[in-house]
Amino acid sequence: KKESLKQLFVERNRKSGKDRSIDDARAVLELIELAEMKGVTDVSVIIDYRTHGSESLLHPMLNRGQGPSLIISFHKAVLEVDNLVRLSSPLNYYRESMNNVHGGGGEGYPRFGRGLCAAFNFTDCCQILLGNKFVTFDPTGEYFYDGGVADYKQDGNVDNLYDDNSQDNASSIHSRRNKGTPTARCYGIDGMISKFPDQFQPFISIPFAKSALLSDAPFFLGTVIRMPFRVEASDINNRVFNEESIKSMVSILEKKIPQVFLFTSNIRKMTMAKWEPCSETLDNLVVAQLRTDPRLKEELKSNLMKNEWKKTNKLANIFKAEWTPKIYNQTIEVSHSHRSSAKLCDADIIDTYLVSTILAPTKIRDVASQDIMKPLQLLPSIGLAAHVKRLSSGSVEDFIPCEGSLFCGFDSGLKTGLPFSINAPIFFHELKGSVILSHSDDLDIQTLFPWVRMAEIGESERKYRALFTWNRSCLFEAMTVLLPDFMLSIRDSLHLNPERFYMYWPRLAKIRDWFRNFLSSHTYESLSKLDIFLTKKNGFQKIDAGCFASPEFQIPPGAAKYFQSRYKMFSVPVCVVEDLKIFSINVRELSPPAARKLLRKKKDHCEKLRSKPDEALDLLEYCLSDAIKLEALDRFEDLKFMYFEVSHLCLVPVMDGTVVIPRNGNIIVANREQQSMFPALLNKFVHHKALKKLKSHLSKDIFFDQMNLQVFGPEVIAKNMHFSPWPRSWKGKDFVPWNEDSFSTLWLFQFWKEVSICENESLRLFDSWPLIPLKTGELTRCANARYILSFYPGGHNESLHKSLEEKHMALKKRIADEVKREKVAHATTSQIIRPHMENINMDDTDICFIDSDVEDDTVEVCNSGEDDSVDISTTAFTTSDDTNHNNNVQLEVPVTPPGNYVAPSSQPSQNYGFLSSLSNKNLHDIVVKLRGPVLELAYFAKDDILQIMPRDGLQLSRNILSSISQCLDYWTHIVLAGQGMPMLRLDWSTLTDDEFGFLLKSLTRNDQGNRLSLMTSDFDLLRGLPIYLTLSGTRVNLRDRDEHFILDSSVNTESLLYLPERIKNKILIGDSENADVLKDLDVETMSEAKLLYMFVLPEFTRIPVSQKQIICETVLCNWTSLKTSTEFITALKETPFVKHLRNDQTTDYEHVCAKELFDPKVEFLCDIFDENPSKFPASEFCSLEWLEILREIGLVKSVDKETFLLCAKRIEISGSPEKAIKLHRFFLENISEYFDQDNLRKLSFIKCVPGEHNGSLDLYKFMDVFMPKDRNLVYMVSPVMLEEVVPAQVMWSRLGITSPPPIPTVLNQIRLLVNLLEENDRWNFKYGSIEDVFVSIFSFLQDNYEKLSPVVADGLRNLNLVPVGIGTSCVKPTQLFFRLVKDLSPFFF
């Protein structure tokens, strides 16, 4: 069934890319397994890229199978048709995988592949030529379906292999079949080849089949399996092939085919060829052949099949004799030649493999002997194979062994990570092809096909076979039992080249994850007990016979030579020690910490090494080699201590040829050119050879801090300026005249290569030193750099620049010649034989293996020699000696400085067009003519110059403004070389009017005439320039704001001639071109309004009265235009020009501000201040026109809070209750305007409240009167507020009003009232009867009785407090009784 066949490919089709190609190659090997099982010795694989004719076919639908195909030929072996049918059945595949049907690994080995089912990985129509039969398999039913059209029919010449009714064959062949029905047909080829030539052309064209098929009685002695490549997904498989996927599979097969002979018994030769579309012949890709005598394999097979491991006897059981596993070693030679389109290699390559096989190790022997496993008749043998030698063109070739795979007779493609392969009777997952290593790995098979895993125990018991237990046991035994002996065999086979032994070390880091658990501590403990640890003098030794170099750090030759005299050391790869340490196997090793400890203990080593810089340098490199590890682990304290330890060792070579202790002095890292600047410091400069060794450390702050090292740079130069050619007397001076000489100019040229004028942080270090050259012939302090101008690239001294470049090139040439001489000397010295310990640490690449599935076989092996080339493209700071200008040779290693220092940038030059414009040149000439501080560019690199130059006209303007302002304010004088007298630095007198105009234009506009976006601070600096022409003919600056102006066109300048010079100097002569600039400089146009508020109104109080009147008339007449000026309005508000009476008792007038007077048209104010005419303007200012003006400039025209309080105070002074009533009515009507806490508080202190007391009306404060509702309680002792002026209750607390009245006030009212009633029997209170008053009093006492003291309460009992009867009679409370029956007055009431 095609569903069953499809199941075989579903899981594997999930793979992609390289994994999919590996699985394709495995499918080819699964088909080759059939050849091994049938005893075939010669197998060919052909990749046929041709497309054949499709006219004469056995069936029209077979035309889809005439394209490129995969062909596998079993020479001289004709398979039986029935056997083919059995091999094509998925059901038989499942059954035979567990039923003692042995696979390609030989007897006792399970089936490796899926039989003929593997062919459907490539095709949907498998075509097989065997003997005189031609068999086609069409499991999809697509190749023999044509809607009922009968195909070729010749009775007896074709059989339907899938039809069980043989009697109906003839009728079923040409009957209508359903599409999708699986079909398999077998044709006799006698007479058919000539009838259907296109059908058989793919077979006839094969050279080894052509003659046999074209004979009169065609019969091919062999079996040819042709599989047309699938080009579109089908019902059984969605794997499709194209040119890329086919080539990927072929490249993998090229590597796998030579290994087919390792664990097979029958195959002797394998060929793989390709047939290109336009080619007439086959091109061999691989021809591989077994060179070892086949009888040796037969002998091994015979030894393995003796079954001695199964034999037991009673005597052995009695004496408890155990089976001893047997190990067989073989050497297998395989020759193979390869031919590709790129390279033709006629000579054979002969590979030698060491194969070790162990029979019946204890663990798998016990598993194989279990009842559940016995029916499988498994052979408990395991093999290991290592590629140990290769001959190419007759000579031994160095090679790196391929990564090993897991074999079950054939390569499964499952990589282990070992440098050798494992062969074992392993069971693979039937659907996935993976190895079964846990119970869950094949749960799907147990579910789908439970009978496949079932085994019958006895007559009735059935159990599942735990195949994963068998698989794991095989792999564990291979790694624990066989591997140690196998390693010894490899060691012995490599006696002529023992260093290659460690290429076969089972490096734990390379092991694949799925296989890692099979390498246990027992494996490495067993290896550690063997004589497999190489020494240079004594060969292989045991582990306790010597000391290992640290696995993490390579010992340089000089250090190796030093330690060799003190230690016996193994020469093994670092991975060997790493793996042993992972499993806690004790190894003695010399690590960098141990080396540092040894050197610190040997006090005498300092003097011995002081004259041996090369040896000291190697020791220094090794002592620092664990820094990377410490840094990776974030162990910065340990890293810090490590550097601290080394800083106390005499290991750092310096340029004077000695070796120094870093901690004893400040050592400087610099290149030769840098060193030439300070020749007196050679004993401080680290030797250039050391820079290469210390490259990885030179970027760490902690290294420089603890080692007491300094990078040559601005800081170092600044600290050592006293060794420079600059006189110490110059330090601290802003400017010095400079007489240039040859050495000082070159030194300054080098200085500005080390210190970037672009970096402010660097320049600050030299703030006190005059190092910046100017065009005036001066040097200025670096602190002044921001004020030094540089804005025209062509403004340098060309002859000076050329001279400096020549001097510098001469220095570089001298240094380059010195480097060349040293290289020649080093090349001569390097011919001396290196110390015996040079390879004490093999590079990891020495034990890497080639991935056999990688198409490119090229392997790059690290060179153990020293590489002089250094990549400096990513370094920020270089200490190279520069390059020879002829050959561009890199001379030295770069040094990356620590900390936040940013070295001079080397950005590519940029082209700023406006900088080179004619207008910019003219501006440059003007500034130079003015003697401004302009930089001499000859000393600076072009890139630095462009970086400090302005990027646009705006930045240029700001730079010039800042610089000239600095000269005006501070650098006022200059002393030129050869002149002793100072003179003014800026010589404005040399500029013409046109140059003044051009300067102003350049500072405010760009080349296109557009205004620059200057900021306020920029305009402040622009005001400070004395370039503005005044009415008096002088040029002034505009620093005093509002002191200068230009005249409005409406102002007649001729009328201003009478102005004094002081005023004329304030008036500028403007023009239309610069009018907007003057405006931005706050030079405003002087209008009539401005003349008034700037020069007239401020002097108003001091001018004559007559003139005052004229001014007022001018204001009145021109008010319409004047009022548009806010400044004028503001000034007028503060000008006392309004006439009013000086006071209310005189007729004298004075002038005050409008805001000090009231509007006479406000009725309320007139009522309150009717007796104060001085509060209002004089009559001439009371016209409607003047009142309108005065209101706009502050005349009080509404009653605000302050005015209201002023009115209240005025009422307090006048004492008029009537005005007070008006005030409070106004207050209540506009309560929302004055409801303000602070305003109410102020009002509460003014005596403006009308109140009644003892029949009279007077003014009181709010706190001194009581509410009308409390009149009965207080009217005899306190005034009561009139009802019509009572404010809202919410204001009472802020105004100080108390209601109800305090208890003492009420008690006082009671006493006065009782006394009055005792003295007078008449009731004269007009606001209520005696009962009303006493009811109010008793109600108050009832509410506050608890607050009364006992003394007060007793006193109330003794007062005639209760009115009785008719009239005003009152009695004491003690004389009152409830429900008195008889009238007993005047005794009782």
Side-chain angles (χ1 to χ4, degrees):
K1 296 181 180 180
K2 61 182 178 182
E3 290 77 11
S4 299
L5 192 59
K6 178 180 180 179
Q7 228 169 8
L8 290 176
F9 302 102
V10 170
E11 292 295 333
R12 304 197 190 200
N13 284 342
R14 300 184 192 278
K15 301 177 182 178
S16 60
K18 180 181 174 182
D19 291 338
R20 192 66 186 91
S21 298
I22 293 174
D23 202 66
D24 294 336
R26 179 172 176 173
V28 174
L29 296 179
E30 290 177 359
L31 294 172
I32 296 175
E33 182 189 30
L34 300 179
E36 173 66 19
M37 293 166 59
K38 295 301 178 180
V40 177
T41 60
D42 189 359
V43 178
S44 295
V45 178
I46 301 174
I47 311 299
D48 187 358
Y49 291 103
R50 300 173 300 167
T51 300
H52 304 280
S54 58
E55 294 182 359
S56 54
L57 302 176
L58 291 170
H59 191 284
M61 297 299 288
L62 288 173
N63 63 344
R64 293 189 296 170
Q66 294 298 97
S69 61
L70 170 66
I71 300 174
I72 299 178
S73 176
F74 304 158
H75 297 278
K76 299 182 181 180
V78 181
L79 302 184
E80 298 178 357
V81 175
D82 292 341
N83 194 20
L84 287 179
V85 175
R86 179 179 61 82
L87 291 172
S88 68
S89 170
L91 184 62
N92 288 329
Y93 162 59
Y94 297 134
R95 183 184 296 113
E96 292 176 0
S97 65
M98 300 296 295
N99 284 347
N100 191 24
V101 177
H102 303 300
E107 295 185 17
Y109 272 63
R111 283 277 295 275
F112 165 74
R114 294 162 288 184
L116 192 59
C117 295
F120 299 106
N121 178 75
F122 307 99
T123 187
D124 292 333
C125 181
C126 180
Q127 303 171 5
I128 304 175
L129 178 68
L130 62 165
N132 60 355
K133 300 292 184 181
F134 178 67
V135 180
T136 60
F137 292 92
D138 176 20
T140 63
E142 298 285 343
Y143 287 81
F144 285 96
Y145 171 78
D146 56 3
V149 178
D151 55 358
Y152 172 77
K153 173 183 177 298
Q154 181 177 344
D155 293 344
N157 205 42
V158 56
D159 296 326
N160 189 348
L161 300 180
Y162 286 170
D163 196 329
D164 294 333
N165 188 357
S166 59
Q167 294 180 355
D168 296 336
N169 270 345
S171 60
S172 62
I173 291 172
H174 59 276
S175 62
R176 183 184 298 273
R177 301 182 61 85
N178 292 327
K179 185 176 183 180
T181 302
T183 304
R185 295 185 179 180
C186 176
Y187 297 89
I189 64 174
D190 188 14
M192 295 184 65
I193 294 178
S194 59
K195 293 182 180 180
F196 303 99
D198 289 341
Q199 184 70 64
F200 291 95
Q201 180 60 30
F203 299 93
I204 296 174
S205 59
I206 301 175
F208 50 76
K210 183 174 182 179
S211 59
L213 295 178
L214 294 179
S215 63
D216 295 336
F219 182 89
F220 173 66
L221 184 57
T223 303
V224 179
I225 304 174
R226 180 176 181 270
M227 295 157 280
F229 286 116
R230 185 183 299 106
V231 294
E232 59 182 13
S234 68
D235 292 341
I236 62 172
N237 198 334
N238 62 6
R239 172 61 168 159
V240 295
F241 290 85
N242 52 34
E243 184 177 357
E244 181 180 355
S245 59
I246 295 172
K247 287 183 177 180
S248 178
M249 176 189 70
V250 169
S251 67
I252 295 173
L253 285 173
E254 285 189 61
K255 301 174 181 63
K256 290 183 178 294
I257 284 177
Q259 299 180 8
V260 168
F261 311 102
L262 294 181
F263 302 108
T264 56
S265 301
N266 300 314
I267 299 177
R268 303 286 186 266
K269 182 179 180 182
M270 281 283 300
T271 302
M272 184 170 69
K274 66 176 180 178
W275 205 319
E276 295 291 351
C278 299
S279 177
E280 297 181 358
T281 59
L282 282 173
D283 291 331
N284 286 336
L285 297 175
V286 182
V287 178
Q289 189 168 352
L290 179 67
R291 290 171 55 91
T292 304
D293 189 345
R295 289 176 295 181
L296 295 178
K297 284 204 168 191
E298 292 295 334
E299 181 182 352
L300 174 62
K301 182 177 180 180
S302 175
N303 290 331
L304 296 177
M305 300 309 299
K306 289 180 179 179
N307 293 330
E308 293 180 354
W309 61 275
K310 292 183 179 180
K311 298 178 181 178
T312 58
N313 55 65
K314 295 180 179 180
L315 187 60
N317 290 335
I318 293 173
F319 290 100
K320 297 183 179 180
E322 295 184 357
W323 161 261
T324 302
K326 295 182 178 181
I327 298 178
Y328 304 94
N329 291 323
Q330 281 188 331
T331 299
I332 295 178
E333 290 187 353
V334 178
S335 65
H336 52 98
S337 60
H338 298 258
R339 178 181 178 182
S340 65
S341 59
K343 182 179 179 181
L344 179 62
C345 182
D346 295 326
D348 286 345
I349 297 174
I350 300 176
D351 288 331
T352 301
Y353 293 86
L354 177 65
V355 180
S356 291
T357 305
I358 185 171
L359 176 63
T362 304
K363 193 169 185 178
I364 61 174
R365 175 175 174 267
D366 293 343
V367 176
S369 301
Q370 294 177 3
D371 292 339
I372 197 170
M373 301 296 286
K374 280 183 179 180
L376 299 180
Q377 297 184 15
L378 294 172
L379 179 64
S381 69
I382 308 168
L384 297 177
H387 185 191
V388 296
K389 183 179 179 182
R390 168 168 288 181
L391 289 176
S392 179
S393 300
S395 59
V396 178
E397 178 183 328
D398 282 338
F399 68 96
I400 297 177
C402 299
E403 181 181 4
S405 301
L406 183 60
F407 280 68
C408 183
F410 288 85
D411 188 355
S412 67
L414 298 175
K415 299 298 183 182
T416 62
L418 295 168
F420 46 80
S421 295
I422 304 173
N423 183 49
I426 294 294
F427 288 93
F428 296 100
H429 193 286
E430 289 86 341
L431 302 181
K432 300 177 183 177
S434 57
V435 62
I436 301 172
L437 295 176
S438 67
H439 175 69
S440 61
D441 284 351
D442 63 342
L443 284 178
D444 51 350
I445 296 296
Q446 297 178 30
T447 303
L448 294 173
F449 312 108
W451 52 270
V452 173
R453 294 288 187 264
M454 284 289 186
E456 294 184 1
I457 308 300
E459 296 182 357
S460 59
E461 187 177 5
R462 294 172 63 86
K463 292 184 178 180
Y464 279 106
R465 290 189 179 98
L467 299 183
F468 72 92
T469 302
W470 168 260
N471 288 349
R472 295 183 67 87
S473 299
C474 290
L475 297 179
F476 270 120
E477 292 293 80
M479 293 295 99
T480 56
V481 180
L482 181 56
L483 179 60
D485 188 87
F486 183 61
M487 294 299 290
L488 290 175
S489 299
I490 294 177
R491 180 200 68 184
D492 296 339
S493 67
L494 299 173
H495 62 281
L496 296 178
N497 193 2
E499 290 83 1
R500 290 186 58 84
F501 169 74
Y502 295 104
M503 288 187 176
Y504 304 94
W505 178 264
R507 184 180 179 187
L508 196 61
K510 296 287 186 178
I511 303 304
R512 301 283 179 136
D513 291 340
W514 72 271
F515 193 77
R516 192 180 300 274
N517 291 335
F518 298 107
L519 285 170
S520 63
S521 59
H522 179 72
T523 302
Y524 289 93
E525 287 174 359
S526 300
L527 293 175
S528 68
K529 298 174 182 178
L530 304 177
D531 297 343
I532 58 174
F533 300 99
L534 182 64
T535 62
K536 287 292 184 181
K537 294 182 179 180
N538 303 315
F540 289 99
Q541 300 288 322
K542 289 188 179 296
I543 195 171
D544 56 358
C547 177
F548 292 92
S550 176
E552 302 176 55
F553 316 102
Q554 183 174 359
I555 302 181
K561 179 181 178 182
Y562 180 86
F563 291 118
Q564 187 180 18
S565 60
R566 293 163 174 79
Y567 290 94
K568 182 179 180 181
M569 303 188 70
F570 291 120
S571 180
V572 300
V574 295
C575 65
V576 175
V577 185
E578 289 175 347
D579 292 344
L580 295 176
K581 290 176 68 176
I582 287 176
F583 293 101
S584 302
I585 298 173
N586 187 28
V587 294
R588 292 184 297 175
E589 59 179 333
L590 176 67
S591 62
R596 294 193 294 270
K597 185 176 181 181
L598 173 65
L599 292 174
R600 294 197 69 179
K601 285 184 177 180
K602 299 294 182 180
K603 299 296 184 182
D604 59 338
H605 90 285
C606 291
E607 293 302 325
K608 293 181 180 179
L609 291 174
R610 194 173 294 278
S611 60
K612 299 178 180 180
D614 292 337
E615 188 172 328
L617 184 56
D618 283 354
L619 284 169
L620 175 64
E621 180 184 9
Y622 187 66
C623 287
L624 295 175
S625 57
D626 58 339
I628 297 177
K629 176 183 177 182
L630 296 176
E631 188 174 14
L633 297 175
D634 293 337
R635 293 169 55 185
F636 293 107
E637 289 301 321
D638 293 339
L639 180 65
K640 181 178 179 180
F641 181 72
M642 180 206 70
Y643 287 138
F644 181 78
E645 279 187 306
V646 176
S647 69
H648 289 82
L649 302 177
C650 185
L651 295 177
V652 178
V654 292
M655 284 304 297
D656 65 352
T658 62
V659 181
V660 298
I661 301 174
R663 185 56 60 178
N664 291 348
N666 293 326
I667 308 302
I668 303 171
V669 177
N671 63 31
R672 301 180 205 236
E673 183 178 336
Q674 294 165 339
Q675 294 167 10
S676 69
M677 296 177 66
F678 296 94
L681 299 179
L682 291 182
N683 62 335
K684 298 291 185 181
F685 289 126
V686 178
H687 201 280
H688 60 85
K689 289 183 180 179
L691 297 182
K692 286 186 179 180
K693 303 291 186 181
L694 299 176
K695 180 180 179 181
S696 61
H697 305 277
L698 294 177
S699 61
K700 300 181 180 68
D701 292 345
I702 190 174
F703 172 74
F704 285 87
D705 293 341
Q706 297 301 314
M707 291 288 290
N708 201 22
L709 298 178
Q710 301 178 12
V711 175
F712 188 92
E715 292 185 3
V716 171
I717 297 175
K719 290 180 181 178
N720 294 280
M721 277 298 293
H722 53 282
F723 290 107
S724 72
W726 258 229
R728 297 188 181 184
S729 60
W730 287 5
K731 186 176 182 180
K733 293 186 177 180
D734 275 324
F735 295 90
V736 293
W738 184 31
N739 293 318
E740 302 176 356
D741 59 72
S742 177
F743 179 74
S744 63
T745 54
L746 177 60
W747 193 93
L748 189 62
F749 188 71
Q750 290 180 270
F751 173 85
W752 287 115
K753 285 185 174 295
E754 299 297 332
V755 181
S756 175
I757 196 171
C758 312
E759 299 296 335
N760 293 330
E761 293 295 329
S762 302
L763 287 178
R764 289 195 185 111
L765 299 173
F766 305 93
D767 278 352
S768 301
W769 287 94
L771 293 166
I772 300 178
L774 302 180
K775 296 193 77 65
T776 57
E778 300 172 285
L779 292 175
T780 185
R781 279 199 308 159
C782 292
N784 302 328
R786 59 176 175 165
Y787 298 111
I788 306 305
L789 296 174
S790 174
F791 56 90
Y792 179 55
H796 63 279
N797 188 325
E798 185 65 33
S799 60
L800 174 61
H801 180 71
K802 182 178 180 181
S803 174
L804 292 172
E805 288 291 349
E806 290 174 353
K807 294 175 183 178
H808 187 242
M809 290 304 298
L811 173 64
K812 289 166 61 177
K813 185 178 184 304
R814 178 173 58 81
I815 293 174
D817 293 341
E818 182 181 346
V819 172
K820 288 180 180 179
R821 287 193 298 270
E822 291 179 357
K823 286 187 175 182
V824 172
H826 176 73
T828 303
T829 306
S830 64
Q831 297 176 5
I832 301 175
I833 299 177
R834 286 193 166 191
H836 190 61
M837 297 291 293
E838 64 174 345
N839 291 324
I840 196 167
N841 292 87
M842 293 185 183
D843 194 284
D844 289 346
T845 55
D846 291 338
I847 58 169
C848 291
F849 39 72
I850 304 173
D851 186 353
S852 60
D853 298 325
V854 179
E855 294 186 10
D856 187 3
D857 286 342
T858 303
V859 177
E860 182 179 351
V861 181
C862 294
N863 186 1
S864 60
E866 184 178 358
D867 185 6
D868 290 334
S869 62
V870 178
D871 180 13
I872 66 170
S873 59
T874 59
T875 57
F877 177 76
T878 176
T879 61
S880 66
D881 282 328
D882 212 331
T883 57
N884 187 306
H885 64 283
N886 293 324
N887 52 21
N888 199 28
V889 177
Q890 177 68 44
L891 300 180
E892 281 193 297
V893 66
V895 178
T896 302
N900 297 324
Y901 171 69
V902 179
S905 174
S906 59
Q907 297 179 357
S909 301
Q910 301 181 41
N911 181 23
Y912 299 102
F914 83 97
L915 292 176
S916 57
S917 65
L918 179 60
S919 60
N920 197 45
K921 178 182 182 302
N922 294 334
L923 179 62
H924 176 268
D925 294 341
I926 291 174
V927 176
V928 172
K929 182 179 179 181
L930 187 62
R931 286 206 296 259
V934 179
L935 186 68
E936 176 52 67
L937 305 180
Y939 290 89
F940 302 92
K942 182 178 180 181
D943 290 340
D944 283 352
I945 292 172
L946 291 179
Q947 286 189 59
I948 63 175
M949 285 193 176
R951 294 320 190 243
D952 50 37
L954 177 61
Q955 187 177 355
L956 169 59
S957 175
R958 288 172 176 168
N959 292 351
I960 295 177
L961 289 172
S962 298
S963 179
I964 295 181
S965 298
Q966 183 73 6
C967 294
L968 289 171
D969 296 336
Y970 303 101
W971 304 337
T972 56
H973 290 79
I974 182 175
V975 177
L976 298 178
Q979 298 181 6
M981 296 299 295
M983 62 181 69
L984 288 177
R985 177 172 295 278
L986 299 179
D987 190 0
W988 295 101
S989 62
T990 60
L991 302 186
T992 64
D993 289 342
D994 291 340
E995 289 174 338
F996 274 112
F998 185 81
L999 178 61
L1000 178 59
K1001 178 181 178 182
S1002 299
L1003 294 178
T1004 56
R1005 301 181 187 277
N1006 58 22
D1007 289 345
Q1008 290 74 36
N1010 298 322
R1011 281 291 305 278
L1012 299 176
S1013 301
L1014 297 177
M1015 298 174 60
T1016 303
S1017 58
D1018 302 324
F1019 284 113
D1020 290 340
L1021 297 178
L1022 189 60
R1023 290 188 189 93
L1025 304 186
I1027 60 175
Y1028 307 100
L1029 186 63
T1030 65
L1031 193 62
S1032 63
T1034 61
R1035 291 192 179 271
V1036 297
N1037 62 58
L1038 305 179
R1039 286 184 176 178
D1040 296 332
R1041 290 177 178 269
D1042 301 328
E1043 286 295 318
H1044 297 87
F1045 49 86
I1046 57 176
L1047 299 176
D1048 187 84
S1049 58
S1050 61
V1051 180
N1052 186 6
T1053 57
E1054 295 181 358
S1055 63
L1056 302 177
L1057 296 177
Y1058 63 89
L1059 292 176
E1061 290 297 319
R1062 181 179 63 86
I1063 302 300
K1064 290 182 180 180
N1065 283 334
K1066 294 179 181 293
I1067 301 175
L1068 302 180
I1069 297 177
D1071 54 50
S1072 59
E1073 184 177 6
N1074 293 323
D1076 56 341
V1077 176
L1078 293 176
K1079 181 179 180 181
D1080 290 341
L1081 290 172
D1082 297 332
V1083 178
E1084 296 187 9
T1085 302
M1086 182 63 70
S1087 61
E1088 185 176 14
K1090 191 167 186 178
L1091 280 171
L1092 286 172
Y1093 77 73
M1094 286 192 65
F1095 298 104
V1096 177
L1097 295 182
E1099 305 293 331
F1100 190 84
T1101 57
R1102 292 188 291 272
I1103 62 178
V1105 175
S1106 59
Q1107 187 66 26
K1108 290 180 180 179
Q1109 185 174 358
I1110 296 174
I1111 294 172
C1112 292
E1113 291 177 356
T1114 301
V1115 171
L1116 180 62
C1117 295
N1118 299 317
W1119 176 250
T1120 303
S1121 60
L1122 293 176
K1123 69 179 181 180
T1124 59
S1125 173
T1126 304
E1127 293 82 359
F1128 172 77
I1129 295 296
T1130 303
L1132 192 62
K1133 286 181 179 179
E1134 303 299 327
T1135 302
F1137 75 96
V1138 184
K1139 185 178 177 182
H1140 82 122
L1141 288 174
R1142 187 181 302 276
N1143 54 55
D1144 298 329
Q1145 288 75 32
T1146 66
T1147 58
D1148 295 336
Y1149 289 91
E1150 65 176 355
H1151 293 82
V1152 296
C1153 296
K1155 62 183 178 181
E1156 300 179 29
L1157 302 177
F1158 295 147
D1159 189 344
K1161 300 301 181 180
V1162 179
E1163 182 179 356
F1164 174 73
L1165 294 176
C1166 291
D1167 292 342
I1168 300 299
F1169 293 96
D1170 56 354
E1171 299 176 0
N1172 305 98
S1174 61
K1175 288 294 182 181
F1176 300 94
S1179 58
E1180 58 263 35
F1181 285 93
C1182 291
S1183 65
L1184 294 178
E1185 293 82 2
W1186 266 119
L1187 288 177
E1188 181 182 354
I1189 295 174
L1190 296 178
R1191 286 167 186 158
E1192 290 193 31
I1193 61 174
L1195 183 68
V1196 179
K1197 59 184 177 180
S1198 61
V1199 183
D1200 56 10
K1201 295 175 184 178
E1202 294 183 1
T1203 305
F1204 181 81
L1205 292 176
L1206 187 61
C1207 293
K1209 291 178 181 178
R1210 183 61 192 172
I1211 291 173
E1212 181 181 25
I1213 295 173
S1214 65
S1216 172
E1218 293 78 8
K1219 290 184 179 181
I1221 293 173
K1222 291 181 180 180
L1223 177 73
H1224 285 279
R1225 286 176 180 172
F1226 186 84
F1227 177 72
L1228 295 176
E1229 291 172 358
N1230 301 277
I1231 188 63
S1232 60
E1233 297 291 334
Y1234 311 117
F1235 187 72
D1236 176 80
Q1237 299 292 333
D1238 185 61
N1239 186 58
L1240 295 177
R1241 182 184 61 80
K1242 293 178 181 179
L1243 184 62
S1244 67
F1245 294 104
I1246 301 175
K1247 190 183 293 184
C1248 62
V1249 182
E1252 182 182 5
H1253 186 217
N1254 295 330
S1256 63
L1257 190 63
D1258 206 349
L1259 298 179
Y1260 303 93
K1261 298 179 182 178
F1262 278 102
M1263 64 183 70
D1264 296 334
V1265 296
F1266 291 96
M1267 294 291 101
K1269 71 182 185 67
D1270 297 325
R1271 188 189 303 274
N1272 293 343
L1273 301 176
V1274 298
Y1275 72 89
M1276 293 188 69
V1277 295
S1278 296
V1280 179
M1281 187 186 302
L1282 295 182
E1283 187 75 36
E1284 56 187 314
V1285 300
V1286 174
Q1289 188 172 355
V1290 71
M1291 303 181 185
W1292 289 2
S1293 61
R1294 181 57 64 181
L1295 292 172
I1297 298 174
T1298 303
S1299 180
I1303 294 176
T1305 302
V1306 177
L1307 293 176
N1308 193 19
Q1309 166 80 357
I1310 293 173
R1311 292 189 189 95
L1312 293 177
L1313 185 61
V1314 170
N1315 293 336
L1316 177 64
L1317 294 177
E1318 289 178 353
E1319 296 176 358
N1320 190 357
D1321 58 354
R1322 296 183 64 184
W1323 181 258
N1324 296 324
F1325 185 55
K1326 63 181 179 179
Y1327 292 103
S1329 64
I1330 188 171
E1331 290 82 1
D1332 296 336
V1333 172
F1334 277 96
V1335 167
S1336 298
I1337 292 174
F1338 291 149
S1339 176
F1340 177 83
L1341 292 175
Q1342 183 177 359
D1343 293 339
N1344 297 278
Y1345 195 77
E1346 293 180 355
K1347 300 178 182 179
L1348 299 177
S1349 66
V1351 176
V1352 173
D1354 289 340
L1356 291 175
R1357 295 189 187 97
N1358 295 321
L1359 292 177
N1360 294 324
L1361 189 61
V1362 183
V1364 295
I1366 300 173
T1368 59
S1369 299
C1370 295
V1371 299
K1372 297 179 180 178
T1374 56
Q1375 295 178 289
L1376 295 177
F1377 293 90
F1378 290 101
R1379 294 183 297 279
L1380 186 64
V1381 178
K1382 295 182 180 182
D1383 184 9
L1384 300 180
S1385 58
F1387 303 104
F1388 301 103
F1389 297 94

